[in-house]
Structures are given as C-alpha cells and as structure tokens.
C-alpha cells in the first residue's frame, strides 16, 4: 500500500481452510459400471432438481490426528431440512482414527464449514456449524445448527429447506452429492429396495463415492426427500465386493428420533409441520 514501508506492520494468518482436490489415483468404490453415472444437476436435472440442488451443501471439517498430531480434513454432503438445520451423516463428524466419543466435538464443529455454492459458479455461500440439534450413531445422522461466518452472508440468505416425504422410499430415486469433493453432482435413474435385516435402512444402486456420505435421496416422481445415503459397497478383507449396493437411511426414523429433542425451536417447528 502507498506510504507503507517494510516493517511497518504484519499480517498474521492464524488458520486457513483448504478445499480438497480430486486426486489422480482416486479409486471408484461404489459405482455400478466402469465409469460413474453422474453429472452436474445444472441444468440437466430440470427446474425442480435445480431448486433442490441449491439446498444441498458440501461439509468440510477436520481434526487433529492424536497419533501424528497433524491436522487432517475430510468432506461430506448434506441438505437443509428446516430453518438453519443441515442434515448429514453422523459418521461425517470424524474419521476412523478418531474415537467415536470425539465425533462432532468442539474442534470438529469449530473447523466445520458448509458451502452451498461448491458448484460450477464462482460465488460462495458458506456457513459455520453450531450446536448439534440431534444426532444418532445408530441411525447415522447428525442435524447441525448453521451459523453465519464473520463477514459472510446472513442466515436469511440460506436456500429453502427441501420438502420431506415420511411415507417411505419408492423404487425410483436420485441423489445429489459431492462425491470426491467434486462440484455438486446428480446421480439419477436409480432404484431402491428394502433392507430385509434393518427396516430403518434401504439399498440403492445410485453411483456414489467418498464425499457423497450424507447426500440426500429424493423420490424421482415427487422430488421429496426420502432418505440420506450413508454407506457404499460392502467389501471383504481383500477389498472384493460382497454386496454391490449402497445403503441409505430412511428419513422417517431420522425425523422421529430428532423430534425427541424438545429444546430446539427450529426443529420443533419442523416436527409440527410434518405432523400436519
């Protein structure tokens, strides 16, 4: 700047967030064919899917590895289902090297960033993670309260919450997600079926990959939220596929569990609306 000489001042960076890029050695874990069947939802998905995609965000966070004391980061997907309420997987609150009791702790939430514009555009719509409104390791969901970032947009600029269907998961579905930390992706023309061993889950053949965890699953016909993706193909110790289907969690047990929290006003408003 004009008038400033070397030594007149200093700028100290106390922290930074680096968005992960796609590596050249990425391995496909949960795709049905030789190449993943997904693409940008803009504009190929149509007007209704376009609006739903605006409410889907990429979650980026990190924590200190207790073994190496190094900072590690990871990303997931999620969706707005109520006023400032972001739904994702519970397992997105940590990594395998982190003890389960440390998932979604102060460090993880403090490092958490939600970006609803991690897509083909240049604008960003980023928010912080506040308290956990509701969570369940068994159902693999976490419902996060979003907050504004310093100098960022206000909560009033958040996209609209997606519509929810509590009646069940139909045969024809699609998923919006950020697999491999890519810009927003649409996996469509997929099919779902029940999981015989667990009524809270369902199986589906939408192509996904790491980073798609927490991605919302929609009814292809009604365009309503029916579940969230939470697990890829089942593999054995030699990494051979045992079950070539992904797993999702139905939205109905998630909402039923979340609504037991009577303290969060935004959540209780959502619960009342879904009971009408």
């Amino acid at each position: 700047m004009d008038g400033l000489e070397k030594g007149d001042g200093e700028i100290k960076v106390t922290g930074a967030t680096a968005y992960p890029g796609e590596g050249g050695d990425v391995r496909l874990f949960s795709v049905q064919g030789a190449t993943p069947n997904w693409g940008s939802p803009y504009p190929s998905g149509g007007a209704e899917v376009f609006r739903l995609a605006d409410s889907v965000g990429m979650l980026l966070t990190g924590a200190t590895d207790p073994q190496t004391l190094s900072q590690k980061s990871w990303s997931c997907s999620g969706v707005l289902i109520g006023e400032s309420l972001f739904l994702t997987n519970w397992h997105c609150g940590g990594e395998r090297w982190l003890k389960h009791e440390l998932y979604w702790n102060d460090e993880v939430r403090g490092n958490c960033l939600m970006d609803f514009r991690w897509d083909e555009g240049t604008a960003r719509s980023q928010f912080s993670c506040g308290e956990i409104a509701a969570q369940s390791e068994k159902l693999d969901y976490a419902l996060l309260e979003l907050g504004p970032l310093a100098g960022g947009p206000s909560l009033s600029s958040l996209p609209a919450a997606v519509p929810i269907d509590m009646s069940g998961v139909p045969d024809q579905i699609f998923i919006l997600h950020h697999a491999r930390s890519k810009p927003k992706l649409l996996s469509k023309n997929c099919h779902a079926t029940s999981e015989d061993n667990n009524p809270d889950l369902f199986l589906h053949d939408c192509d996904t990959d790491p980073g798609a965890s927490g991605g919302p699953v929609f009814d292809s016909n009604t365009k309503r939220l029916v579940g969230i993706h939470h697990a890829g193909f089942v593999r054995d110790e030699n990494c051979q596929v045992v079950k070539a289907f992904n797993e999702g969690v139905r939205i109905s047990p998630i909402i039923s569990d979340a609504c037991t929290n009577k303290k969060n006003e935004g959540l209780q408003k959502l619960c009342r609306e879904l009971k009408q």
Side-chain angles (χ1 to χ4, degrees), residues 117-165:
R117 296 285 181 85
W118 186 243
D119 49 38
E120 304 296 343
T122 58
R124 290 287 173 265
S125 179
Q126 299 172 338
F127 298 86
S128 65
C129 298
E131 296 298 318
I132 306 296
Q135 62 177 313
S136 168
E137 181 178 359
K138 179 182 178 182
L139 292 173
D140 196 19
Y141 85 89
L143 194 55
L144 314 178
E145 297 180 12
L146 299 187
L149 289 171
S154 66
L155 292 177
S156 62
S157 68
L158 279 169
V162 298
I164 295 174
D165 185 350

Side-chain angles (χ1 to χ4, degrees), residues 62-205:
T64 304
D65 186 335
Q67 299 298 320
T68 64
L69 300 182
S70 61
Q71 286 282 332
K72 294 185 178 180
S73 63
W74 59 90
S75 67
C76 279
S77 305
V79 64
L80 275 173
I81 65 167
E83 293 181 3
S84 309
L85 294 174
F86 186 83
L87 176 65
T88 188
N89 282 148
W90 177 87
H91 77 253
C92 291
E95 286 278 65
R96 291 183 178 89
W97 42 264
L98 199 63
K99 293 181 179 179
H100 281 194
E101 57 264 30
L102 298 179
Y103 277 42
W104 297 115
N105 65 10
D106 290 345
E107 182 185 16
V108 173
R109 296 199 318 277
N111 291 330
C112 185
L113 182 72
M114 219 74 64
D115 195 332
F116 291 95
R117 296 285 181 85
W118 186 243
D119 49 38
E120 304 296 343
T122 58
R124 290 287 173 265
S125 179
Q126 299 172 338
F127 298 86
S128 65
C129 298
E131 296 298 318
I132 306 296
Q135 62 177 313
S136 168
E137 181 178 359
K138 179 182 178 182
L139 292 173
D140 196 19
Y141 85 89
L143 194 55
L144 314 178
E145 297 180 12
L146 299 187
L149 289 171
S154 66
L155 292 177
S156 62
S157 68
L158 279 169
V162 298
I164 295 174
D165 185 350
M166 300 274 282
S167 64
V169 180
D171 171 64
Q172 296 181 323
I173 61 169
F174 64 90
I175 299 180
L176 291 161
H177 57 89
H178 286 279
R180 308 187 211 164
S181 306
K182 279 177 165 287
K184 216 162 288 183
L185 295 169
L186 167 64
S187 295
K188 60 181 180 179
N189 300 323
C190 318
H191 299 276
T193 185
S194 60
E195 169 58 271
D196 294 335
N197 297 322
N198 191 333
D200 295 331
L201 304 180
F202 62 93
L203 305 177
H204 68 84
D205 61 3

